[in-house]
Amino acid sequence: AQSVTQLDSQVPVFEEAPVELRCNYSSSVSVYLFWYVQYPNQGLQLLLKYLSGSTLVESINGFEAEFNKSQTSFHLRKPSVHISDTAEYFCAVRRGSQGNLIFGKGTKLSVKP
Amino acid sequence: DTAVSQTPKYLVTQMGNDKSIKCEQNLGHDTMYWYKQDSKKFLKIMFSYNNKELIINETVPNRFSPKSPDKAHLNLHINSLELGDSAVYFCASSQATGNFAEQYFGPGTRLTVT
């Protein structure tokens, strides 16, 4: 069975500091990996995804994530965060063409001035 | 324009009641989903519908029944509500099942059962 582990439930950082939100997955087959963001009182929005090709994927607002097959990880990073990045971040994995999205338990990123 | 919308946004009701949550998408997608997010923010898929056919049911109690009057709507009906049903329910849609089917989520419906 697949599972997704987000190692940190909460990550407080100061504005303009770098941040890394960790995500590990377990699967015996090829997977497709996603990061979703949930701003307060809103639904989930896709931040970025890894399907194939380059292992480093980027979002339009400065986040990036690197697929590491040997470590079964897909950590999310941003070199300098803004107050507006405060949100809940969910890592998700999808197995194969008909697989469900399996979500991690989320990491709450709190950016302080 | 709202891509995936849900009504109501908040729903407070008593145990034993029957309630429905509506979902509509205007993206022309052919697959819709319902997810449950519990108090610990854990998200789990409940159902997905493709062309009016249920294709995934993740061991959800049969008190929950998805109803799809057309491709743009997937409503969630819940019978005999229980305290444990309190959660945020998210609707989502995608173009098709498959590796590249990005899911678009609605804003959620917060259900509180008292």
Side-chain angles (χ1 to χ4, degrees):
Chain A
Q2 299 173 84
S3 68
V4 179
T5 303
Q6 291 184 243
L7 297 166
D8 306 299
S9 60
Q10 297 188 55
V11 174
V13 295
F14 287 105
E15 194 173 18
E16 298 184 4
V19 71
E20 179 179 77
L21 307 184
R22 296 179 291 172
C23 173
N24 288 86
Y25 66 93
S26 64
S27 176
S28 58
V29 298
S30 296
V31 295
Y32 304 90
L33 296 157
F34 306 82
W35 274 100
Y36 280 83
V37 58
Q38 184 179 23
Y39 296 104
N41 300 313
Q42 295 187 27
L44 280 76
Q45 303 172 33
L46 181 67
L47 189 60
L48 44 75
K49 59 187 175 185
Y50 170 77
L51 303 177
S52 64
S54 173
T55 57
L56 185 66
V57 291
E58 298 177 352
S59 72
I60 58 173
N61 58 352
F63 283 93
E64 64 179 28
E66 185 162 18
F67 170 56
N68 188 320
K69 188 175 181 179
S70 63
Q71 297 186 6
T72 60
S73 68
F74 191 55
H75 300 332
L76 181 70
R77 295 188 292 263
K78 188 170 184 180
S80 176
V81 294
H82 303 290
I83 299 285
S84 59
D85 293 324
T86 294
E88 192 95 23
Y89 291 80
F90 293 91
C91 182
V93 62
R94 183 171 190 166
R95 179 176 64 88
S97 61
Q98 298 295 323
N100 297 336
L101 270 179
I102 308 297
F103 284 90
K105 293 190 175 183
T107 297
K108 184 174 182 179
L109 175 64
S110 299
V111 182
K112 303 176 182 181
Chain B
D1 288 342
T2 303
V4 183
S5 59
Q6 297 178 226
T7 54
K9 189 170 183 179
Y10 299 96
L11 181 56
V12 180
T13 188
Q14 292 184 330
M15 286 175 56
N17 286 347
D18 303 338
K19 290 293 179 184
S20 292
I21 305 172
K22 296 184 177 180
C23 177
E24 177 180 4
Q25 54 94 6
N26 62 6
L27 298 167
H29 289 167
D30 59 8
T31 304
M32 296 182 72
Y33 311 81
W34 276 106
Y35 287 84
K36 179 181 180 180
Q37 186 177 45
D38 64 23
S39 59
K40 296 182 180 179
K41 297 279 189 174
F42 187 52
L43 269 162
K44 189 172 183 180
I45 191 164
M46 300 176 70
F47 302 103
S48 70
Y49 252 75
N50 178 280
N51 291 327
K52 295 191 178 183
E53 292 185 23
L54 179 67
I55 56 175
I56 302 172
N57 182 334
E58 293 293 315
T59 64
V60 173
N62 58 15
R63 298 183 295 104
F64 290 79
S65 55
K67 299 186 189 303
S68 181
D70 55 58
K71 199 171 72 169
H73 296 83
L74 183 65
N75 303 325
L76 183 64
H77 190 74
I78 315 168
N79 290 326
S80 302
L81 278 155
E82 300 178 356
L83 292 176
D85 298 332
S86 296
V88 181
Y89 292 84
F90 288 99
C91 178
S93 72
S94 65
Q95 177 58 35
T97 55
N99 300 340
F100 306 103
E102 176 181 340
Q103 296 184 17
Y104 293 79
F105 283 77
T109 295
R110 182 175 295 277
L111 171 65
T112 303
V113 182
T114 62

